[in-house]
Amino acid sequence: MVNDSSINNESRQALGSLSRMSMGDVQHTYQINETVKVNIVLFDHYKKPKTRGGDMLVVWMKDPQHGAASAGTVIDHGNGTYTGVLRTLWTGRAIIRAAMISSRERMTHIYRSFQNGYFGKKITCTFRSNTATEATRGYMDMRYMKKRPFCNLTADYFGVPFYCEKPKAKGIRCHDWAETSLPHNYMTFGADTRWFAERTSTEIIPDSIRINISPNRQEKRSPSIPCGRRNFRDTWLATPPVGYSYNNTWRPLSCWNSVHVDMYNQCLANRTLILFGDSTVRQMFGELLPILNFTLIRGPPIVQGTRNWFTWNSAFEAYNEKYNYTVFWMPHGFPMAFSKVNTKLSQPVFAHLDAIPPGSTDIILINLYAHFHFVPFHIYRDRVHRTRLAIENLLKRSPDVKIAIKGPHKFSVPKPITPLGGMWGPAYENILKREFVNLYDRVLYLDIWDMTVAFENEDIHPNGLLVNMMVQVFFGYICGN
């Protein structure tokens, strides 16, 4: 795919609105827990069928009347045709839908943009001495350095590669690095690449298929093992679908959630819960606020239902006096979009983990995702590697800590002038699963991809219903027994 000779002929790219989905079974009637297959053919702007694969598709089924939804998998046949595979997980009715979340050409364009020097964050380094202040450009990869001389600040930023152009003012040296800003650096387009800016990243295929699902008396539907008793390894090795919703409650297929909301306080009693990530993880912190009724003791005021509290330059800390526990939300560090942040607040997750003392019983959730979309893959891969090493060391000195890795979620952007979008999800998940393969038994994988596909999530910030489901699944595994 990266060797495609031409990607800018938009007319030859797949177009979701012209593509088709069909089913060979004319009766459209199934029993519970049967496999359903649909055929998908992609067409280009000339209404001609595509003859090669590589586009990224998703399929799902839903019954909005009963709050039911589940995701399937898609098989790429390499010739412009695809097979969607789903399971019937509830009785009644279901509507099957499909969408293209990225064309082959879109993924190739972004990959080549990174190879050609695009970097999605415009980093500004501020140096401050007793006599002067100066701002220069910053970089997280030496290949993008455009000026010399430079300050190598890698050691100052916990061993993560970081460089700034050397200040020119007298009296300012590299060790006077004081703060950093990382606003988004939007893509620029020429006449031949404007198609990228004009296309949305999710294109719904117009066909929908309705099926009926009847019960099977011999089929055992409900798992008998509480999620808290499942080996964490199962969460890494599970194949889609990993769960489904019914009555707007997410139900993992391998276990049942035995933890109710009124048990959260007992689970957290005399412990510390630390949530590392971006604003999507901070949504989980906000979701817990009315549930746990803890007191916010650090961070700006939280206004439920708004984003007025979405500020990066502050961590959040809350305390529950009755049950004696503390809850933190902390940003995961560069390349997060900070504004004039100091090194202490912007430190990477692994640096925080290294500071946790022996004998800890902390509960930790980590999410590295959306802000890494702006940078080449090797930066994400390196950060995941450093995080995994820190987790290994933490588990050695504090074997009673509980750690969860929150996986990618599906979303899109209405005007894709950045690399953002759910097309990165499967690639990032693959990196996570390869890196953590030796920790499958010790670390929980919170797989939310199916959940966000099934509920047709488009916003980078999932709605309250989805965030609540994520919180419930997390506590079900971490606190159940």
Side-chain angles (χ1 to χ4, degrees):
M1 187 165 64
V2 297
N3 297 319
D4 289 353
S5 58
S6 177
I7 63 171
N8 293 323
N9 185 351
E10 183 180 9
S11 298
R12 295 298 185 186
Q13 297 177 20
L15 189 64
S17 60
L18 294 179
S19 299
R20 303 305 305 269
M21 178 177 64
S22 62
M23 178 184 285
D25 181 6
V26 295
Q27 293 186 356
H28 294 191
T29 299
Y30 295 84
Q31 289 188 329
I32 190 74
N33 206 31
E34 278 197 301
T35 298
V36 181
K37 294 184 178 182
V38 295
N39 305 311
I40 302 170
V41 181
L42 298 186
F43 288 82
D44 64 21
H45 289 63
Y46 292 124
K47 300 183 180 180
K48 294 183 178 180
K50 295 280 290 181
T51 57
R52 66 180 182 181
D55 303 279
M56 186 178 294
L57 280 70
V58 291
V59 293
W60 66 97
M61 65 169 62
K62 61 181 180 179
D63 178 7
Q65 184 176 355
H66 293 95
S70 66
T73 58
V74 177
I75 300 171
D76 183 349
H77 299 295
N79 59 3
T81 67
Y82 300 78
T83 299
V85 183
L86 306 103
R87 280 174 60 188
T88 52
L89 297 171
W90 63 84
T91 58
R93 299 178 180 179
I95 303 170
I96 299 174
R97 299 302 308 266
M100 181 175 69
I101 61 174
S102 181
S103 66
R104 175 191 181 111
E105 292 79 8
R106 178 178 168 80
M107 289 183 281
T108 303
H109 172 78
I110 291 181
Y111 181 83
R112 289 182 179 173
S113 295
F114 283 134
Q115 291 294 101
N116 293 331
Y118 168 74
F119 198 86
K121 296 297 176 77
K122 188 176 181 179
I123 304 174
T124 300
C125 307
T126 300
F127 296 85
R128 186 176 295 114
S129 70
N130 293 331
T131 59
T133 298
E134 185 175 339
T136 70
R137 285 292 304 272
Y139 305 87
M140 295 186 71
D141 191 321
M142 282 195 67
R143 293 178 299 174
Y144 301 132
M145 290 287 296
K146 297 179 180 180
K147 292 183 179 181
R148 301 291 193 276
F150 63 88
C151 297
N152 185 347
L153 301 173
T154 299
D156 298 84
Y157 193 59
F158 309 95
V160 174
F162 198 82
Y163 314 91
C164 298
E165 295 169 3
K166 195 171 184 178
K168 299 178 181 179
K170 288 185 178 181
I172 301 182
R173 300 182 180 182
C174 290
H175 68 254
D176 293 319
W177 178 39
E179 57 192 26
T180 311
S181 297
L182 291 86
H184 298 328
N185 181 25
Y186 294 115
M187 286 183 163
T188 56
F189 303 95
D192 60 339
T193 58
R194 194 162 290 121
W195 60 268
F196 182 92
E198 295 173 351
R199 296 276 296 277
T200 58
S201 54
T202 296
E203 299 183 27
I204 302 292
I205 294 174
D207 296 307
S208 62
I209 297 173
R210 297 176 181 271
I211 63 172
N212 297 308
I213 307 168
S214 60
N216 182 342
R217 294 180 180 178
Q218 297 180 346
E219 181 66 35
K220 185 178 180 180
R221 295 179 55 191
S222 300
S224 58
I225 302 176
C227 294
R229 294 183 183 174
R230 296 294 300 190
N231 190 311
F232 284 168
R233 173 173 292 272
D234 297 338
T235 63
W236 293 92
L237 299 178
T239 56
V242 299
Y244 71 103
S245 172
Y246 197 79
N247 289 333
N248 288 325
T249 300
W250 191 256
R251 304 162 188 244
L253 286 182
S254 63
C255 58
W256 62 279
N257 193 337
S258 62
V259 179
H260 303 289
V261 172
D262 56 6
M263 300 166 64
Y264 292 180
N265 281 317
Q266 289 88 341
C267 171
L268 295 175
N270 303 309
R271 307 184 79 162
T272 297
L273 170 63
I274 311 175
L275 307 173
F276 291 108
D278 58 19
S279 56
T280 62
V281 174
R282 192 162 53 187
Q283 285 183 281
M284 298 176 71
F285 183 98
E287 187 69 24
L288 289 171
L289 179 63
I291 296 174
L292 301 180
N293 196 29
F294 46 55
T295 302
L296 189 67
I297 59 178
R298 179 160 60 118
I302 296 179
V303 181
Q304 290 302 112
T306 76
R307 295 182 185 171
N308 294 341
W309 53 289
F310 278 15
T311 175
W312 297 124
N313 293 2
S314 177
F316 285 82
E317 180 181 355
Y319 181 67
N320 186 299
E321 183 176 5
K322 180 179 179 181
Y323 291 93
N324 187 36
Y325 66 79
T326 305
V327 181
F328 291 93
W329 169 82
M330 294 185 179
H332 62 54
F334 300 159
M336 207 159 169
F338 290 100
S339 176
K340 297 182 179 180
V341 67
N342 60 42
T343 307
K344 182 178 181 180
L345 181 64
S346 63
Q347 62 183 296
V349 173
F350 66 79
H352 287 287
L353 298 179
D354 288 342
I356 296 175
S360 171
T361 59
D362 291 354
I363 298 173
I364 299 167
L365 180 139
I366 301 168
N367 178 238
L368 306 173
Y369 187 42
H371 287 262
F372 285 89
H373 292 190
F374 291 91
V375 301
F377 270 106
H378 73 272
I379 292 178
Y380 179 76
R381 189 179 291 110
D382 290 347
R383 190 66 57 82
V384 170
H385 176 69
R386 292 289 300 274
T387 303
R388 191 265 299 169
L389 291 176
I391 289 174
E392 279 188 341
N393 291 329
L394 175 58
L395 288 170
K396 289 177 182 178
R397 66 180 183 274
S398 300
D400 292 329
V401 298
K402 293 187 177 182
I403 302 173
I405 301 295
K406 177 174 172 278
H409 66 283
K410 183 262 177 188
F411 70 96
S412 69
V413 286
K415 292 186 177 181
I417 55 176
T418 73
L420 288 173
M423 61 181 170
W424 295 111
Y428 279 24
E429 181 179 74
N430 184 51
I431 291 172
L432 288 169
K433 289 188 173 182
R434 288 190 176 197
E435 186 64 43
F436 280 86
V437 65
N438 292 324
L439 289 178
Y440 282 4
D441 291 321
R442 304 294 307 278
V443 177
L444 168 70
Y445 183 61
L446 187 61
D447 189 339
I448 60 172
W449 180 262
D450 280 9
M451 185 187 297
T452 50
V453 169
F455 278 89
E456 305 173 24
N457 181 67
E458 290 295 290
D459 198 327
I460 188 173
H461 298 105
N463 62 35
L465 173 65
L466 287 172
V467 176
N468 183 265
M469 288 182 179
M470 297 173 197
V471 169
Q472 289 179 359
V473 175
F474 171 61
F475 275 88
Y477 279 103
I478 291 294
C479 299
N481 52 48

